Amino acid sequence: MPEQFHRPIRRPSTAFDNLVGSSGSVEARRVAHATASALVQRARDDESGESARRLIEFTSEFGIDDIAELWADAPAVSLPGALWRLYLLQLSIHNDSQTAALLYERGRVELRSVDAVIAGAPAPASPEELVTLIDTILRGVFQGDFAVALERAAAFCRVQVSGATHVADDYEATEAERATQLTARARRLHTFANDLTAAAGLWRVGSLN
């Protein structure tokens, strides 16, 4: 992918909650780990920040197909697996920042934890501010403290889980299908939060690969 920033690709219409990988081969997983490591190292070595900027803007410009092909099948708690989850979070917020802001604010109000503080969004956060937040978190992966960036993303997920769960309860009596969708979203984000937290721990001891 490093030499393919110029190549436009199809932006998928698949919803965030349905974006999953297929079963991959051993060779595909080897390539996933190699490309993830190379991209992170390249961005961190580029003092100009240009590589990081291009990686942060990649899905907005080119979609997520290439990233999915490389990383969607990687183990959840791995470098490519963590990057895949971060890009999915970014895509979900960029594509529907209004819903993201609604769920985040509801979660911030309901959740009795420091997760909203760790995530670092304003209170309350506008849709535009959440777009900035997720881009800032992704920038931390490529230019800052990688583990802190993962922990911020995990905290963001937990706030969203709380919001999606409570809004699902609101819809349960009148719009059961919408409630089911929100519950599924909460379940997936909960898994993301756990995966990203575990990945952060491994990164801190030099074992995330």
Side-chain angles (χ1 to χ4, degrees):
M1 194 168 67
E3 279 69 46
Q4 294 179 345
F5 285 103
H6 65 284
R7 181 167 63 84
I9 60 176
R10 178 179 56 84
R11 180 180 299 276
S13 59
T14 312
F16 162 70
D17 298 299
N18 294 324
L19 277 169
V20 296
S22 58
S23 58
S25 66
V26 173
E27 176 62 15
R29 292 193 176 193
R30 186 195 66 77
V31 170
H33 286 267
T35 54
S37 179
L39 283 174
V40 170
Q41 191 60 51
R42 171 179 172 174
R44 288 177 168 274
D45 289 343
D46 182 0
E47 295 182 0
S48 73
E50 180 63 16
S51 294
R53 183 192 66 77
R54 294 167 77 185
L55 288 168
I56 292 164
E57 296 176 359
F58 189 85
T59 58
S60 294
E61 188 171 357
F62 300 122
I64 204 167
D65 289 2
D66 278 0
I67 294 173
E69 183 177 346
L70 285 171
W71 297 338
D73 298 323
V77 184
S78 68
L79 180 58
L83 291 174
W84 168 241
R85 281 150 183 76
L86 288 172
Y87 273 116
L88 277 182
L89 285 174
Q90 184 197 42
L91 184 68
S92 73
I93 297 168
H94 280 219
N95 281 356
D96 191 357
S97 58
Q98 293 285 344
T99 296
L102 169 66
L103 299 182
Y104 189 89
E105 179 60 15
R106 182 64 181 275
R108 184 187 70 82
V109 171
E110 300 284 356
L111 193 59
R112 299 294 183 262
S113 76
V114 298
D115 284 313
V117 175
I118 294 171
S126 69
E128 295 76 19
E129 286 169 332
L130 282 192
V131 168
T132 299
L133 173 68
I134 192 61
D135 288 354
T136 299
I137 289 173
L138 198 57
R139 182 176 299 280
V141 166
F142 299 121
Q143 290 187 296
D145 188 316
F146 192 98
V148 169
L150 296 185
E151 288 166 348
R152 290 183 68 186
F156 175 87
C157 287
R158 286 190 287 269
V159 177
Q160 290 265 301
V161 167
S162 176
T165 300
H166 282 90
V167 174
D169 289 343
D170 294 343
Y171 277 110
E172 185 63 41
T174 57
E175 297 183 43
E177 183 177 353
R178 178 60 173 155
T180 298
Q181 292 171 349
L182 287 166
T183 300
R185 186 186 187 96
R187 189 178 300 114
R188 189 168 195 204
L189 286 168
H190 176 74
T191 300
F192 274 30
N194 290 341
D195 293 340
L196 292 168
T197 298
L202 288 178
W203 178 269
R204 289 190 189 281
V205 297
S207 298
L208 185 68
N209 48 45

